[in-house]
Amino acid sequence: MSDEKKFRWVGTRPIRPDGVDKVTGRAQYGADFALPDMLWGRVLRSPHAHARILSIETGAAAALEGVHAVMTGQDLPDLFAEKAAAAGGHDDSNNLAHNVMARDKALYHGHAVAAVAATSREIAERALELIDVEYEVLPHVLDIHAALAPGAPLVHPDRVAQGIENSGPSNIAKRLQIGHGDPEEGFAEADEIIEREFSTRPVHQGYIEPHACLAQTTQDGRVTLWSSSQGHFMVRDYTAKLLDIDLSLVRVIPAEIGGGFGGKTTVYLEPIAVSLSRKSGRSVKMVMSREEVFRASGPTLGTRIKIKVGVTREGVLTAGEATLHYEGGAFGGSSVGAGCMTIFAPYAFPHVRSTGYDIMVNKPKGAAYRAPGAPMAAFALETVMDELAQRLEIDPVDFRLRNAAKEGTLASFGPRYRRIGCVETLEAVRDHPHYSAPLGPNQGRGVALGFWFNAGLQSSAGVNLNPDGTVTVLSGNPDIGGSRASLAIMTAEELGIEYEHVDVMVADTHAVGYTDVTGGSRVTFATGMAIIEAVRDVMGQLCQRAAAVWEVDAERVSWHEGEARLDGGFEPAPLGLAELAKNAGKTGGPISARAALTARGVGMGFGAHICDVEVDPETGRIDVIRYTAVQDAGRAIHPSYVEGQMQGGAVQGIGWALNEEYVFDDEGRVQNPGFLDYRIPVASDVPMIDTVIVEVPNPAHPYGVRGVGEVPIVPPIPAVVNAVHAATGIRFCDLPLSPARVLARLDEARSPGSA
Amino acid sequence: MARVILPQALADRFGGEVQLEIEGGNVRALLAALDARYPGIGQELEGRVAVAIDGEIHNDPLLEPVEEQSEVHFLPRLAGG
């Protein structure tokens, strides 16, 4: 069993290959690329949350000296309208195309309506001021209540809800329902039932690097893009699809990426930059300002969740029911499906039902954010679980353990779980010294559990053996969280060579096979599988070369610790990698291999967090004073980067719980489009995030890997909120727990006559 | 025969049965058999939903094997971050 196997590299912490370039500033991010003939592209954005575009006059802008191209939505092909019309208005490609640039209507404040390419950024911005757009301002809807109110203005009057029979046009993009059993029957068996309603506000992923790209086009129709994203194949495919170009003519070269967290799994600038380049005959660079990132790139938007959970007095869950409304922005497409699927997932519910509504509002099109949809759902369930444990006078971790999902449990989203580490994760929390450490005045402790599916999807890899015995690995995934290191470790482990002898390159779309995005916590798992498959192919070739040298059957030769051995022994002297590589030309030619697969056997992930807070009764300020994140990683290939994911996810969740929210005014304008006013936690705001890696190997992966990147953002919100309850006796159901909101509730609790 | 569990909303539109015994072999054959029983349901499902076969979720399966004793669920497709 792989559990007992001794590894040389797996589980160690070597220096990441891209580390020196990143800390010395040599690494090239999206905005770092330049070409000699380069123009600067800038976008004109709607000043209205909802408005019909009556006309756009671009003549004065085009006439400005230094301007080489001006474009509007009319310059982009309208390829998906018929398909959308046939689907009640809903079509992902049509939505993407109309989000990249508005056509007949601007659907949110900041929606792109025109663009300019000029010899400098300043000239391009002056040209934007010369574009005259005539709007007919329309009434808008900015939140779920307004969108669902009778007679509400419709974001898309032609759209009917998917999943609701015979519905007329509305702001509901989609309804879905999942579950099993009969919740009413389950609630009838319950001794305690708690029903609550929760809300969250729009938040941004908060990646530091803004969206940026450089486009070069040629007269024979070729396109080269340098772009920062979570997937250069995604950039290629979306850009080509929106502009109707053959994929083979589009080459996307990946830049390093300064954070994505799901927000860079789509395109905003690339189709515009290519269009401007084609119009001007020059290369075009575009970089969003921070304000544009906030106004026009996808946040995760607001939610409202009603939840009801029943339990016996012995602490056994009998039923769960939830109604989830998620804003999807101007085009729908929220993560409410995942919200419905994850909300009850950590536990064994005999009866469970989740109903989700994807709501269209006049806000930017929502984008994925790390375990999309799950943190809000966990906020609702795990807060109620805490309250139930308190009411039953059961330790909150014991209560969760009594109901925890395990192998064979019928998951709330349908199938039965395979091998999972939910129980082991909770046990690690229960046994951790943090869980029983004493607390001081105004302090409280909360725990919460979180679940995420993780993903497999498609990956390709190339492995080239160099004549000196070193190895070059080609991956199609941008390295966000240290995947070069984890992929190099697995290569070195398989081949039995030095880690330093492996170099992993993030190869462009013309150099490696199709690979899905760096998302879904999939790269070490899925691309790792592709690389292992290619490396094993190389090992087979090496054995064949050794057999040829020894003039024996290849079946008698096997690969051990970096060398080919005959019948597993040392006679004749084994042939090492370097020698075989050096002589490859004489024994059959260069040795290389490729692998491409749709990864199977995804290992689902669980994490549980312990949070201690101190609440200042005078100001309402909450400080997180101690935090421990526990997570089943299956197998930590490079523990430092697993821990980094756990720490980063925890801090993002803490920010979501305590500080972060978009503030929209009544006209739909974001009032805090910058990191000064949109406050994400910085290092001095949080304590050292302690981590415990639990390893319940995924039986379907050669090394037992489960995805780790997304799970850690699921538990923090309820962990913080439960800790605040423990410190104050107040349960908060609406985020964020800003000092003003907390102080108001503290004052209310202290006022004479309060319960 | 594989045991197939349909989403309630889909079952309501196609015959009302949530659990069905269907001859499989692979996902494509299973969808064809479902469609033969409830015309139109195959088109609703193919390429638009994820399929869980014995607890493993496949986002875009076609030739994925479905064993005699397999349990098959249809789920909303997921996006990761």
Side-chain angles (χ1 to χ4, degrees), chain A residues 49-50 95 98-99 105-109 111 141 154-156 159 171 173 301 327-333 358-366:
Chain A
H50 195 191
N95 290 340
H98 284 240
N99 190 51
K105 280 209 309 182
L107 296 167
Y108 55 90
H109 190 281
H111 198 168
V141 287
L154 297 178
V155 181
H156 296 278
R159 294 199 184 183
N171 288 319
L301 291 158
E327 296 171 3
F331 298 92
D358 178 21
I359 307 297
M360 294 180 286
V361 293
N362 292 111
K363 288 177 180 170
K365 185 180 192 298

PDB file of all heavy atoms in Angstrom, chain A residues 49-50 95 98-99 105-109 111 141 154-156 159 171 173 301 327-333 358-366:
ATOM      1  N   ALA A  49     -25.747  51.985 -14.628  1.00  0.00           N
ATOM      2  CA  ALA A  49     -25.912  50.577 -14.284  1.00  0.00           C
ATOM      3  C   ALA A  49     -26.749  49.833 -15.314  1.00  0.00           C
ATOM      4  O   ALA A  49     -26.646  48.614 -15.456  1.00  0.00           O
ATOM      5  CB  ALA A  49     -26.558  50.455 -12.905  1.00  0.00           C
ATOM      6  N   HIS A  50     -27.598  50.575 -16.028  1.00  0.00           N
ATOM      7  CA  HIS A  50     -28.474  49.940 -17.011  1.00  0.00           C
ATOM      8  C   HIS A  50     -28.887  51.012 -18.011  1.00  0.00           C
ATOM      9  O   HIS A  50     -29.534  51.993 -17.633  1.00  0.00           O
ATOM     10  CB  HIS A  50     -29.712  49.365 -16.287  1.00  0.00           C
ATOM     11  CG  HIS A  50     -30.502  48.399 -17.120  1.00  0.00           C
ATOM     12  ND1 HIS A  50     -31.748  47.950 -16.750  1.00  0.00           N
ATOM     13  CD2 HIS A  50     -30.230  47.786 -18.298  1.00  0.00           C
ATOM     14  CE1 HIS A  50     -32.199  47.088 -17.656  1.00  0.00           C
ATOM     15  NE2 HIS A  50     -31.299  46.986 -18.606  1.00  0.00           N
ATOM     16  N   ASN A  95     -23.165  35.334 -23.568  1.00  0.00           N
ATOM     17  CA  ASN A  95     -22.941  36.139 -22.365  1.00  0.00           C
ATOM     18  C   ASN A  95     -21.512  36.672 -22.318  1.00  0.00           C
ATOM     19  O   ASN A  95     -21.271  37.839 -22.008  1.00  0.00           O
ATOM     20  CB  ASN A  95     -23.193  35.289 -21.109  1.00  0.00           C
ATOM     21  CG  ASN A  95     -24.664  34.959 -20.926  1.00  0.00           C
ATOM     22  OD1 ASN A  95     -25.534  35.626 -21.476  1.00  0.00           O
ATOM     23  ND2 ASN A  95     -24.938  33.924 -20.147  1.00  0.00           N
ATOM     24  N   HIS A  98     -20.964  39.445 -24.919  1.00  0.00           N
ATOM     25  CA  HIS A  98     -21.607  40.711 -24.570  1.00  0.00           C
ATOM     26  C   HIS A  98     -21.027  41.315 -23.290  1.00  0.00           C
ATOM     27  O   HIS A  98     -21.225  42.492 -23.029  1.00  0.00           O
ATOM     28  CB  HIS A  98     -23.118  40.510 -24.447  1.00  0.00           C
ATOM     29  CG  HIS A  98     -23.799  40.396 -25.773  1.00  0.00           C
ATOM     30  ND1 HIS A  98     -24.775  41.250 -26.192  1.00  0.00           N
ATOM     31  CD2 HIS A  98     -23.606  39.523 -26.804  1.00  0.00           C
ATOM     32  CE1 HIS A  98     -25.173  40.919 -27.416  1.00  0.00           C
ATOM     33  NE2 HIS A  98     -24.476  39.859 -27.811  1.00  0.00           N
ATOM     34  N   ASN A  99     -20.345  40.505 -22.505  1.00  0.00           N
ATOM     35  CA  ASN A  99     -19.669  41.057 -21.331  1.00  0.00           C
ATOM     36  C   ASN A  99     -18.352  41.730 -21.733  1.00  0.00           C
ATOM     37  O   ASN A  99     -17.981  42.748 -21.174  1.00  0.00           O
ATOM     38  CB  ASN A  99     -19.399  39.959 -20.296  1.00  0.00           C
ATOM     39  CG  ASN A  99     -18.928  40.541 -18.985  1.00  0.00           C
ATOM     40  OD1 ASN A  99     -19.550  41.451 -18.438  1.00  0.00           O
ATOM     41  ND2 ASN A  99     -17.799  40.058 -18.477  1.00  0.00           N
ATOM     42  N   LYS A 105     -27.060  47.292 -25.155  1.00  0.00           N
ATOM     43  CA  LYS A 105     -27.311  47.795 -23.805  1.00  0.00           C
ATOM     44  C   LYS A 105     -26.069  47.662 -22.929  1.00  0.00           C
ATOM     45  O   LYS A 105     -25.348  46.670 -23.020  1.00  0.00           O
ATOM     46  CB  LYS A 105     -28.432  46.975 -23.131  1.00  0.00           C
ATOM     47  CG  LYS A 105     -29.833  47.357 -23.545  1.00  0.00           C
ATOM     48  CD  LYS A 105     -30.871  47.097 -22.447  1.00  0.00           C
ATOM     49  CE  LYS A 105     -30.834  45.730 -21.852  1.00  0.00           C
ATOM     50  NZ  LYS A 105     -31.909  45.563 -20.837  1.00  0.00           N
ATOM     51  N   ALA A 106     -25.871  48.647 -22.069  1.00  0.00           N
ATOM     52  CA  ALA A 106     -24.875  48.504 -20.995  1.00  0.00           C
ATOM     53  C   ALA A 106     -25.615  47.958 -19.786  1.00  0.00           C
ATOM     54  O   ALA A 106     -26.681  48.461 -19.423  1.00  0.00           O
ATOM     55  CB  ALA A 106     -24.255  49.853 -20.670  1.00  0.00           C
ATOM     56  N   LEU A 107     -25.052  46.925 -19.186  1.00  0.00           N
ATOM     57  CA  LEU A 107     -25.799  46.182 -18.168  1.00  0.00           C
ATOM     58  C   LEU A 107     -25.290  46.401 -16.756  1.00  0.00           C
ATOM     59  O   LEU A 107     -25.890  45.903 -15.809  1.00  0.00           O
ATOM     60  CB  LEU A 107     -25.767  44.690 -18.511  1.00  0.00           C
ATOM     61  CG  LEU A 107     -26.478  44.339 -19.818  1.00  0.00           C
ATOM     62  CD1 LEU A 107     -26.140  42.917 -20.250  1.00  0.00           C
ATOM     63  CD2 LEU A 107     -27.980  44.513 -19.677  1.00  0.00           C
ATOM     64  N   TYR A 108     -24.182  47.110 -16.619  1.00  0.00           N
ATOM     65  CA  TYR A 108     -23.701  47.464 -15.278  1.00  0.00           C
ATOM     66  C   TYR A 108     -22.756  48.653 -15.389  1.00  0.00           C
ATOM     67  O   TYR A 108     -22.208  48.925 -16.459  1.00  0.00           O
ATOM     68  CB  TYR A 108     -23.011  46.279 -14.581  1.00  0.00           C
ATOM     69  CG  TYR A 108     -21.880  45.648 -15.360  1.00  0.00           C
ATOM     70  CD1 TYR A 108     -20.567  46.091 -15.216  1.00  0.00           C
ATOM     71  CD2 TYR A 108     -22.123  44.590 -16.235  1.00  0.00           C
ATOM     72  CE1 TYR A 108     -19.533  45.498 -15.928  1.00  0.00           C
ATOM     73  CE2 TYR A 108     -21.085  43.990 -16.943  1.00  0.00           C
ATOM     74  CZ  TYR A 108     -19.797  44.449 -16.789  1.00  0.00           C
ATOM     75  OH  TYR A 108     -18.766  43.871 -17.496  1.00  0.00           O
ATOM     76  N   HIS A 109     -22.595  49.343 -14.303  1.00  0.00           N
ATOM     77  CA  HIS A 109     -21.679  50.470 -14.255  1.00  0.00           C
ATOM     78  C   HIS A 109     -20.263  49.920 -14.427  1.00  0.00           C
ATOM     79  O   HIS A 109     -19.808  49.128 -13.608  1.00  0.00           O
ATOM     80  CB  HIS A 109     -21.816  51.185 -12.911  1.00  0.00           C
ATOM     81  CG  HIS A 109     -21.085  52.481 -12.848  1.00  0.00           C
ATOM     82  ND1 HIS A 109     -19.734  52.570 -12.635  1.00  0.00           N
ATOM     83  CD2 HIS A 109     -21.534  53.747 -12.995  1.00  0.00           C
ATOM     84  CE1 HIS A 109     -19.373  53.823 -12.643  1.00  0.00           C
ATOM     85  NE2 HIS A 109     -20.444  54.565 -12.854  1.00  0.00           N
ATOM     86  N   HIS A 111     -19.382  48.540 -17.526  1.00  0.00           N
ATOM     87  CA  HIS A 111     -19.461  47.658 -18.695  1.00  0.00           C
ATOM     88  C   HIS A 111     -18.738  48.321 -19.877  1.00  0.00           C
ATOM     89  O   HIS A 111     -18.973  49.484 -20.182  1.00  0.00           O
ATOM     90  CB  HIS A 111     -20.940  47.431 -19.025  1.00  0.00           C
ATOM     91  CG  HIS A 111     -21.198  46.250 -19.907  1.00  0.00           C
ATOM     92  ND1 HIS A 111     -22.453  45.753 -20.110  1.00  0.00           N
ATOM     93  CD2 HIS A 111     -20.372  45.454 -20.634  1.00  0.00           C
ATOM     94  CE1 HIS A 111     -22.401  44.703 -20.923  1.00  0.00           C
ATOM     95  NE2 HIS A 111     -21.134  44.516 -21.258  1.00  0.00           N
ATOM     96  N   VAL A 141     -31.748  47.084 -11.265  1.00  0.00           N
ATOM     97  CA  VAL A 141     -31.934  46.299 -10.031  1.00  0.00           C
ATOM     98  C   VAL A 141     -30.558  45.930  -9.506  1.00  0.00           C
ATOM     99  O   VAL A 141     -29.678  45.510 -10.259  1.00  0.00           O
ATOM    100  CB  VAL A 141     -32.781  45.030 -10.250  1.00  0.00           C
ATOM    101  CG1 VAL A 141     -34.233  45.385 -10.455  1.00  0.00           C
ATOM    102  CG2 VAL A 141     -32.264  44.192 -11.411  1.00  0.00           C
ATOM    103  N   LEU A 154     -36.367  44.476 -15.720  1.00  0.00           N
ATOM    104  CA  LEU A 154     -35.725  43.233 -16.144  1.00  0.00           C
ATOM    105  C   LEU A 154     -34.359  43.528 -16.763  1.00  0.00           C
ATOM    106  O   LEU A 154     -34.252  44.372 -17.667  1.00  0.00           O
ATOM    107  CB  LEU A 154     -36.601  42.492 -17.149  1.00  0.00           C
ATOM    108  CG  LEU A 154     -37.963  42.032 -16.612  1.00  0.00           C
ATOM    109  CD1 LEU A 154     -38.771  41.339 -17.708  1.00  0.00           C
ATOM    110  CD2 LEU A 154     -37.779  41.084 -15.411  1.00  0.00           C
ATOM    111  N   VAL A 155     -33.354  42.844 -16.295  1.00  0.00           N
ATOM    112  CA  VAL A 155     -32.006  43.009 -16.854  1.00  0.00           C
ATOM    113  C   VAL A 155     -32.005  42.549 -18.314  1.00  0.00           C
ATOM    114  O   VAL A 155     -31.419  43.193 -19.183  1.00  0.00           O
ATOM    115  CB  VAL A 155     -30.976  42.207 -16.019  1.00  0.00           C
ATOM    116  CG1 VAL A 155     -29.570  42.391 -16.595  1.00  0.00           C
ATOM    117  CG2 VAL A 155     -31.007  42.646 -14.550  1.00  0.00           C
ATOM    118  N   HIS A 156     -32.692  41.433 -18.560  1.00  0.00           N
ATOM    119  CA  HIS A 156     -32.843  40.921 -19.932  1.00  0.00           C
ATOM    120  C   HIS A 156     -34.327  40.588 -20.149  1.00  0.00           C
ATOM    121  O   HIS A 156     -34.774  39.510 -19.753  1.00  0.00           O
ATOM    122  CB  HIS A 156     -32.009  39.654 -20.135  1.00  0.00           C
ATOM    123  CG  HIS A 156     -30.541  39.866 -20.013  1.00  0.00           C
ATOM    124  ND1 HIS A 156     -29.768  40.353 -21.041  1.00  0.00           N
ATOM    125  CD2 HIS A 156     -29.695  39.659 -18.978  1.00  0.00           C
ATOM    126  CE1 HIS A 156     -28.503  40.436 -20.650  1.00  0.00           C
ATOM    127  NE2 HIS A 156     -28.428  40.024 -19.392  1.00  0.00           N
ATOM    128  N   ARG A 159     -35.357  37.017 -21.455  1.00  0.00           N
ATOM    129  CA  ARG A 159     -34.887  35.767 -20.853  1.00  0.00           C
ATOM    130  C   ARG A 159     -35.928  35.150 -19.920  1.00  0.00           C
ATOM    131  O   ARG A 159     -36.494  35.839 -19.075  1.00  0.00           O
ATOM    132  CB  ARG A 159     -33.594  35.990 -20.081  1.00  0.00           C
ATOM    133  CG  ARG A 159     -32.466  36.367 -21.005  1.00  0.00           C
ATOM    134  CD  ARG A 159     -31.128  36.162 -20.373  1.00  0.00           C
ATOM    135  NE  ARG A 159     -30.103  36.644 -21.294  1.00  0.00           N
ATOM    136  CZ  ARG A 159     -28.807  36.554 -21.080  1.00  0.00           C
ATOM    137  NH1 ARG A 159     -28.368  36.004 -19.969  1.00  0.00           N
ATOM    138  NH2 ARG A 159     -27.950  36.991 -21.970  1.00  0.00           N
ATOM    139  N   ASN A 171     -35.993  38.061 -13.673  1.00  0.00           N
ATOM    140  CA  ASN A 171     -34.569  38.175 -13.375  1.00  0.00           C
ATOM    141  C   ASN A 171     -33.995  36.868 -12.816  1.00  0.00           C
ATOM    142  O   ASN A 171     -32.866  36.854 -12.332  1.00  0.00           O
ATOM    143  CB  ASN A 171     -34.328  39.326 -12.394  1.00  0.00           C
ATOM    144  CG  ASN A 171     -34.527  40.669 -13.066  1.00  0.00           C
ATOM    145  OD1 ASN A 171     -34.105  40.868 -14.206  1.00  0.00           O
ATOM    146  ND2 ASN A 171     -35.196  41.586 -12.380  1.00  0.00           N
ATOM    147  N   ALA A 173     -32.367  33.606 -13.650  1.00  0.00           N
ATOM    148  CA  ALA A 173     -31.731  32.950 -14.790  1.00  0.00           C
ATOM    149  C   ALA A 173     -31.965  31.440 -14.735  1.00  0.00           C
ATOM    150  O   ALA A 173     -32.112  30.783 -15.765  1.00  0.00           O
ATOM    151  CB  ALA A 173     -30.226  33.235 -14.792  1.00  0.00           C
ATOM    152  N   LEU A 301     -20.709  37.503  -6.059  1.00  0.00           N
ATOM    153  CA  LEU A 301     -21.702  38.508  -5.675  1.00  0.00           C
ATOM    154  C   LEU A 301     -22.480  38.109  -4.426  1.00  0.00           C
ATOM    155  O   LEU A 301     -22.126  37.167  -3.732  1.00  0.00           O
ATOM    156  CB  LEU A 301     -22.609  38.780  -6.881  1.00  0.00           C
ATOM    157  CG  LEU A 301     -21.855  39.512  -8.005  1.00  0.00           C
ATOM    158  CD1 LEU A 301     -22.532  39.322  -9.344  1.00  0.00           C
ATOM    159  CD2 LEU A 301     -21.726  40.997  -7.698  1.00  0.00           C
ATOM    160  N   GLU A 327     -26.724  36.077  -6.418  1.00  0.00           N
ATOM    161  CA  GLU A 327     -26.621  37.006  -7.546  1.00  0.00           C
ATOM    162  C   GLU A 327     -25.557  36.498  -8.520  1.00  0.00           C
ATOM    163  O   GLU A 327     -24.466  36.103  -8.094  1.00  0.00           O
ATOM    164  CB  GLU A 327     -26.182  38.392  -7.052  1.00  0.00           C
ATOM    165  CG  GLU A 327     -27.166  39.077  -6.126  1.00  0.00           C
ATOM    166  CD  GLU A 327     -26.576  40.340  -5.505  1.00  0.00           C
ATOM    167  OE1 GLU A 327     -25.431  40.702  -5.840  1.00  0.00           O
ATOM    168  OE2 GLU A 327     -27.252  40.946  -4.658  1.00  0.00           O
ATOM    169  N   GLY A 328     -25.897  36.537  -9.809  1.00  0.00           N
ATOM    170  CA  GLY A 328     -24.926  36.129 -10.827  1.00  0.00           C
ATOM    171  C   GLY A 328     -24.387  37.313 -11.604  1.00  0.00           C
ATOM    172  O   GLY A 328     -23.595  37.145 -12.515  1.00  0.00           O
ATOM    173  N   GLY A 329     -24.873  38.522 -11.278  1.00  0.00           N
ATOM    174  CA  GLY A 329     -24.469  39.685 -12.053  1.00  0.00           C
ATOM    175  C   GLY A 329     -25.370  39.848 -13.273  1.00  0.00           C
ATOM    176  O   GLY A 329     -26.464  39.284 -13.338  1.00  0.00           O
ATOM    177  N   ALA A 330     -24.879  40.596 -14.243  1.00  0.00           N
ATOM    178  CA  ALA A 330     -25.723  41.015 -15.359  1.00  0.00           C
ATOM    179  C   ALA A 330     -26.128  39.886 -16.294  1.00  0.00           C
ATOM    180  O   ALA A 330     -27.029  40.050 -17.112  1.00  0.00           O
ATOM    181  CB  ALA A 330     -24.994  42.098 -16.155  1.00  0.00           C
ATOM    182  N   PHE A 331     -25.462  38.771 -16.213  1.00  0.00           N
ATOM    183  CA  PHE A 331     -25.774  37.676 -17.138  1.00  0.00           C
ATOM    184  C   PHE A 331     -26.195  36.391 -16.415  1.00  0.00           C
ATOM    185  O   PHE A 331     -26.379  35.355 -17.050  1.00  0.00           O
ATOM    186  CB  PHE A 331     -24.563  37.373 -18.019  1.00  0.00           C
ATOM    187  CG  PHE A 331     -24.156  38.526 -18.883  1.00  0.00           C
ATOM    188  CD1 PHE A 331     -23.209  39.443 -18.442  1.00  0.00           C
ATOM    189  CD2 PHE A 331     -24.728  38.717 -20.131  1.00  0.00           C
ATOM    190  CE1 PHE A 331     -22.829  40.514 -19.225  1.00  0.00           C
ATOM    191  CE2 PHE A 331     -24.363  39.781 -20.921  1.00  0.00           C
ATOM    192  CZ  PHE A 331     -23.410  40.689 -20.470  1.00  0.00           C
ATOM    193  N   GLY A 332     -26.325  36.420 -15.109  1.00  0.00           N
ATOM    194  CA  GLY A 332     -26.554  35.174 -14.381  1.00  0.00           C
ATOM    195  C   GLY A 332     -25.281  34.352 -14.390  1.00  0.00           C
ATOM    196  O   GLY A 332     -24.184  34.862 -14.651  1.00  0.00           O
ATOM    197  N   GLY A 333     -25.424  33.066 -14.091  1.00  0.00           N
ATOM    198  CA  GLY A 333     -24.232  32.216 -14.078  1.00  0.00           C
ATOM    199  C   GLY A 333     -23.547  32.219 -12.737  1.00  0.00           C
ATOM    200  O   GLY A 333     -22.325  32.034 -12.644  1.00  0.00           O
ATOM    201  N   ASP A 358     -30.545  31.397  -9.436  1.00  0.00           N
ATOM    202  CA  ASP A 358     -29.469  32.219 -10.003  1.00  0.00           C
ATOM    203  C   ASP A 358     -30.112  33.531 -10.463  1.00  0.00           C
ATOM    204  O   ASP A 358     -30.987  33.510 -11.329  1.00  0.00           O
ATOM    205  CB  ASP A 358     -28.853  31.447 -11.177  1.00  0.00           C
ATOM    206  CG  ASP A 358     -27.755  32.194 -11.888  1.00  0.00           C
ATOM    207  OD1 ASP A 358     -27.174  33.118 -11.296  1.00  0.00           O
ATOM    208  OD2 ASP A 358     -27.469  31.834 -13.059  1.00  0.00           O
ATOM    209  N   ILE A 359     -29.701  34.637  -9.861  1.00  0.00           N
ATOM    210  CA  ILE A 359     -30.419  35.897 -10.039  1.00  0.00           C
ATOM    211  C   ILE A 359     -29.585  36.896 -10.846  1.00  0.00           C
ATOM    212  O   ILE A 359     -28.413  37.125 -10.546  1.00  0.00           O
ATOM    213  CB  ILE A 359     -30.759  36.521  -8.663  1.00  0.00           C
ATOM    214  CG1 ILE A 359     -31.487  35.504  -7.774  1.00  0.00           C
ATOM    215  CG2 ILE A 359     -31.593  37.793  -8.843  1.00  0.00           C
ATOM    216  CD1 ILE A 359     -32.817  35.037  -8.291  1.00  0.00           C
ATOM    217  N   MET A 360     -30.250  37.511 -11.824  1.00  0.00           N
ATOM    218  CA  MET A 360     -29.570  38.538 -12.631  1.00  0.00           C
ATOM    219  C   MET A 360     -29.819  39.921 -12.023  1.00  0.00           C
ATOM    220  O   MET A 360     -30.961  40.255 -11.690  1.00  0.00           O
ATOM    221  CB  MET A 360     -30.082  38.492 -14.071  1.00  0.00           C
ATOM    222  CG  MET A 360     -29.695  37.194 -14.776  1.00  0.00           C
ATOM    223  SD  MET A 360     -30.280  37.079 -16.485  1.00  0.00           S
ATOM    224  CE  MET A 360     -32.019  36.764 -16.262  1.00  0.00           C
ATOM    225  N   VAL A 361     -28.752  40.666 -11.859  1.00  0.00           N
ATOM    226  CA  VAL A 361     -28.822  42.035 -11.341  1.00  0.00           C
ATOM    227  C   VAL A 361     -27.866  42.911 -12.156  1.00  0.00           C
ATOM    228  O   VAL A 361     -26.999  42.386 -12.868  1.00  0.00           O
ATOM    229  CB  VAL A 361     -28.415  42.105  -9.839  1.00  0.00           C
ATOM    230  CG1 VAL A 361     -29.429  41.392  -8.958  1.00  0.00           C
ATOM    231  CG2 VAL A 361     -27.019  41.514  -9.613  1.00  0.00           C
ATOM    232  N   ASN A 362     -28.010  44.229 -12.042  1.00  0.00           N
ATOM    233  CA  ASN A 362     -27.155  45.137 -12.816  1.00  0.00           C
ATOM    234  C   ASN A 362     -25.827  45.377 -12.097  1.00  0.00           C
ATOM    235  O   ASN A 362     -25.518  46.486 -11.651  1.00  0.00           O
ATOM    236  CB  ASN A 362     -27.884  46.449 -13.089  1.00  0.00           C
ATOM    237  CG  ASN A 362     -29.051  46.260 -14.031  1.00  0.00           C
ATOM    238  OD1 ASN A 362     -30.214  46.385 -13.648  1.00  0.00           O
ATOM    239  ND2 ASN A 362     -28.758  45.925 -15.272  1.00  0.00           N
ATOM    240  N   LYS A 363     -25.077  44.307 -11.980  1.00  0.00           N
ATOM    241  CA  LYS A 363     -23.727  44.356 -11.416  1.00  0.00           C
ATOM    242  C   LYS A 363     -22.809  43.589 -12.367  1.00  0.00           C
ATOM    243  O   LYS A 363     -23.288  42.826 -13.216  1.00  0.00           O
ATOM    244  CB  LYS A 363     -23.713  43.684 -10.039  1.00  0.00           C
ATOM    245  CG  LYS A 363     -24.410  44.479  -8.934  1.00  0.00           C
ATOM    246  CD  LYS A 363     -24.392  43.678  -7.640  1.00  0.00           C
ATOM    247  CE  LYS A 363     -25.073  44.418  -6.512  1.00  0.00           C
ATOM    248  NZ  LYS A 363     -25.265  43.554  -5.325  1.00  0.00           N
ATOM    249  N   PRO A 364     -21.485  43.729 -12.194  1.00  0.00           N
ATOM    250  CA  PRO A 364     -20.574  43.017 -13.091  1.00  0.00           C
ATOM    251  C   PRO A 364     -20.862  41.515 -13.104  1.00  0.00           C
ATOM    252  O   PRO A 364     -21.321  40.959 -12.111  1.00  0.00           O
ATOM    253  CB  PRO A 364     -19.192  43.283 -12.484  1.00  0.00           C
ATOM    254  CG  PRO A 364     -19.359  44.512 -11.669  1.00  0.00           C
ATOM    255  CD  PRO A 364     -20.774  44.528 -11.197  1.00  0.00           C
ATOM    256  N   LYS A 365     -20.576  40.915 -14.244  1.00  0.00           N
ATOM    257  CA  LYS A 365     -20.765  39.464 -14.379  1.00  0.00           C
ATOM    258  C   LYS A 365     -19.922  38.745 -13.330  1.00  0.00           C
ATOM    259  O   LYS A 365     -18.715  38.944 -13.266  1.00  0.00           O
ATOM    260  CB  LYS A 365     -20.328  39.047 -15.783  1.00  0.00           C
ATOM    261  CG  LYS A 365     -20.581  37.594 -16.131  1.00  0.00           C
ATOM    262  CD  LYS A 365     -20.100  37.323 -17.572  1.00  0.00           C
ATOM    263  CE  LYS A 365     -20.581  35.985 -18.097  1.00  0.00           C
ATOM    264  NZ  LYS A 365     -20.102  34.842 -17.348  1.00  0.00           N
ATOM    265  N   GLY A 366     -20.532  37.935 -12.519  1.00  0.00           N
ATOM    266  CA  GLY A 366     -19.804  37.207 -11.486  1.00  0.00           C
ATOM    267  C   GLY A 366     -18.791  36.246 -12.090  1.00  0.00           C
ATOM    268  O   GLY A 366     -18.967  35.766 -13.213  1.00  0.00           O
TER     269      GLY A 366
END
